[in-house]
Amino acid sequence: GFYVSDDGRVNPYEATMALAKGARMRGVEIHQGVSVAGVTKEWDNGNVLPKVTGVILDDGHVIKAKSVVNCAGMWARQLGELCGVNIP
């Protein structure tokens, strides 16, 4: 976690870099300078919507995942559409 003596004040750049460093130390690969161009899906028997199983980057790299989290900010609606989800 974070300890911030002013409770709620943190430098966003330094916090992001610290989180990225911790993630890399735990084996996470961070891809920079690329966008999500699509998603991979699998149809599970009985479900109405397919399960998103990964992402396809605009450089063609495919990343498989157990979970995909939409953290696209102002582009969340567009990413949701790729997944078949309506985000208002």
Side-chain angles (χ1 to χ4, degrees):
F2 282 80
Y3 170 76
V4 181
S5 61
D6 294 341
D7 189 29
R9 297 180 59 110
V10 66
N11 178 313
Y13 174 80
E14 290 177 6
T16 300
M17 292 299 108
L19 289 169
K21 181 180 179 181
R24 284 187 182 107
M25 290 172 60
R26 288 164 181 78
V28 171
E29 257 183 61
I30 298 175
H31 296 262
Q32 295 178 296
V34 294
S35 298
V36 174
V39 294
T40 58
K41 304 174 188 177
E42 287 181 8
W43 287 94
D44 203 1
N45 228 358
N47 288 341
V48 176
L49 294 174
K51 178 180 179 183
V52 175
T53 58
V55 295
I56 305 165
L57 302 180
D58 61 0
D59 65 0
H61 189 85
V62 177
I63 302 172
K64 295 285 186 182
K66 291 180 184 175
S67 299
V68 175
V69 179
N70 185 344
C71 300
M74 63 186 276
W75 299 277
R77 181 177 298 157
Q78 290 85 344
L79 182 56
E81 288 173 2
L82 291 175
C83 301
V85 176
N86 181 29
I87 298 174

